[in-house]
Structures are given as structure tokens and as C-alpha cells.
Amino acid sequence: MSTLVSPSSLEPAQAEFVGGRGYLAACTVGLPTRAVRDAVIADLDAATRGRPDPHAYTAAVEQSRAHFASLVGVARDRVAIGSQASVAAALVAASLPQGAEVLIAAGDFSSIVLPFVHSGRDLRVRTAPVDRLAEAVTSDTRLVVFSLVQSATGEVADAEAILAAAEVHGARTFCDATQAVGWLPVAASRFDAVVCHAYKWLCAPRGVSFLTVSARLERDMPALFAGWYAGADPWTSCYGGEVQLAPDATRFDVSPAWQAFVGAQPALALFASLAPADLHEHTTRLARVFRERLGVEAPERESAIVTWADPEGADLALLTGAGITASGRAGRARVAFHVFNDAEDVELAARALSR
């Protein structure tokens, strides 16, 4: 790979990927590393031979939790494991009093919107454009919900302004960092809750998500989906209703998808080992060069995702026809630059669009 736009600290990570050339869709689904592939195949081979290992699965889950905690700067006991963002959002919705006002970024990803709309708690859901979300917070707002990076547009929210407004008005914050963790440094402790599905920028198998929970939110949030893995000691929490739940955020765990975590562990270990500043610089520089080639206006806050109007899908068709994997969302073409991309990917995409 070219080192013109790639810090040398990322080269070992880049060598872990074999299918990155022309793949500009980490915002849709990430690519597995060699280690992810090897781990999943080894587990399948062992199970096929009659040697599945549930205790090794537990180790993979707990190592994945620790790696994610390191990535977002919180203690591991502040992290709950799950499999879908919508389940995490439903938990947060259950922490709110009946009829509370929830302010949500307009047009945000439905997995963090619908659980509040359909909570059965008569929540008053109000929306505002993400770039005006901070000014829309009022003294009636109990919770502010938004994606740190918007899926449809790649826009990076002004988290500092939103956090400041929430503090002034006594509102809590719930942030979806699925499109952020893996290229954008995220300090999860700044928010009351952060959800992240790991199958995009963290390149894990689908079925692995995380929810960070603040101490004050934990007090108000019921363990709505508690099962055996929510117990203080999961392997002695398998039967009956007298199970003692974990004393921290792990009480919000759902039963893990074991094989998915087998693959997630090496992926998360890789990203936890990288310098966040180097990842951010690499991805946003590639996006910046591509944006300049297309003549797309620079965003207020740099993003690894570039989108532009493509209502008929013509540009997406050009990219696809050139062998480039991209995506289209909400009438826009969308490309994403990740650790496995380089300057050649920028050139291939720009040529496909005749830019």
C-alpha cells in the first residue's frame, strides 16, 4: 500500500486485510482480517469435530468487552454486550418516565429512533436537524439522541455543543457511535450512553454490539432483557428467578452470540492496538483528497465518509461498473475510506467518475 497518506504505524494493520482494494464501504460492512477469518474457521473446525468450547467463548466475549472499553476510554464494567443497536436503544427508552420529551436528530438511523417512537411510554419525540440539535435542547428535554456520525450523509455531529446544551438543561445524552468508533476517537464517558455495533468500522462479524452506561443512567434503567449472562456469575445464573444480577453495567448484557464474538475478539484487539490519531488522520486525509477531486464542499468537521447527491444512482452505477464497492443512501452516493484503503483507491474512484 502507498505510504504517501498512511502513517507507518498502520502498516501492520493494513497487512491484515486482503480485500481492501476498491472496497469503499466500511460504512456498510467492514472487512474481516486474516485473524478474524482464522479464528472463525478454527472454531467451526473444532465444533465439527465435536469440540465446541463454551468457556473459550466466554473468554472471547470478555476480551472483546475489554478491548472495546479501551477503545472508547471507559472501565470494562461500564460496558454491556449485545447484538443490536435497537435493543440498546430500547433499554435507554425504558429508563425514561412516562411522557418524557426525547429530542432526536432528524433523519437519524431508525434503530435508535424507532425504540423511542414505539416505547409504549407515551414519550414525546421531537426532532431537529443534527447541526441544530444543540440549540433545540430545552428545559423540557429529558434525553438527547443522535448518531455521532450520520449514516446517510457522513456528517459529524458537534458533540461538544450538544453535551454543553444538555448539561445546561439537565438532559441526558444517548449517542450512537457505530459509524465512528474505528476511525474517529470517541470518549464514551462524556455521554450517559453510547451504543456501537462492531460490524462496520471495527470489522467484526455481525452480531456484536456494545453499550456504555453511566452510573446515573444505570440507576434508572431496568435490566429489561436480563438472562443468564446478566448474572453476577453467568455460569451459576442459568436457572430460576433468584439470580443475582451483576452489580454494574454488565447486568444489561444479553446472551452473547458466541461465534460472532470469536471473530470479534481479534478484530477489536487490532483496533485497540492502533493510535486513534493515526487512524483519524489516515481516513480523513483520503476522504479529503477524494472530496477535492469531486468538487464536494468540505464539511465543518472532517469525516471518513463522503456523500454527494446522486438521486438516480448514476454515479453509484459508475463506481460499481468500475469494480468499486460503494453504497447509496437517501438519494446520495456514499463512499468510506478505512485503514485498508490508500491513495490508489482514491484514484480508482475518481477515474470511475471521470473526475
Side-chain angles (χ1 to χ4, degrees), residues 112-320:
I112 63 165
V113 178
L114 296 182
F116 294 96
V117 174
H118 299 288
S119 69
R121 306 176 70 81
D122 296 321
L123 299 178
R124 293 178 290 118
V125 175
R126 187 164 60 88
T127 64
V130 68
D131 61 349
R132 296 171 56 189
L133 201 60
E135 62 191 73
V137 182
T138 72
S139 58
D140 290 331
T141 306
R142 292 296 296 266
L143 181 71
V144 185
V145 179
F146 67 103
S147 292
L148 186 55
V149 179
Q150 293 292 301
S151 173
T153 65
E155 181 179 359
V156 179
D158 188 349
E160 292 300 323
I162 294 168
L163 286 165
E167 183 176 2
V168 167
H169 294 289
R172 292 179 178 177
T173 52
F174 174 40
C175 174
D176 183 353
T178 299
Q179 292 286 7
V181 182
W183 72 268
L184 180 68
V186 175
S189 61
R190 304 286 307 281
F191 306 93
D192 286 286
V194 170
V195 67
C196 177
H197 204 302
Y199 77 101
K200 294 181 183 287
W201 296 90
L202 291 173
C203 298
R206 185 169 170 85
V208 174
S209 69
F210 301 95
L211 174 68
T212 69
V213 183
S214 70
R216 69 174 184 172
L217 177 60
E218 181 187 330
R219 292 191 293 268
D220 295 336
M221 196 162 73
L224 201 60
F225 306 112
W228 70 281
Y229 212 80
D233 177 10
W235 285 106
T236 62
S237 303
C238 297
Y239 303 102
E242 302 304 317
V243 170
Q244 180 181 356
L245 295 183
D248 48 40
T250 64
R251 67 170 49 209
F252 305 114
D253 284 357
V254 299
S255 181
W258 281 338
Q259 287 78 13
F261 274 94
V262 166
Q265 191 278 328
L268 291 161
L270 175 67
F271 282 96
S273 73
L274 301 177
D278 287 349
L279 268 173
H280 181 263
E281 169 61 20
H282 172 71
T283 56
T284 57
R285 184 184 300 181
L286 293 177
R288 186 186 320 131
V289 173
F290 181 71
R291 198 178 291 113
E292 290 169 354
R293 290 287 295 271
L294 260 65
V296 174
E297 184 178 355
E300 185 173 352
R301 284 165 291 280
E302 292 242 67
S303 178
I305 302 173
V306 181
T307 70
W308 64 97
D310 186 33
E312 304 302 323
D315 282 351
L316 181 58
L318 288 173
L319 291 167
T320 302

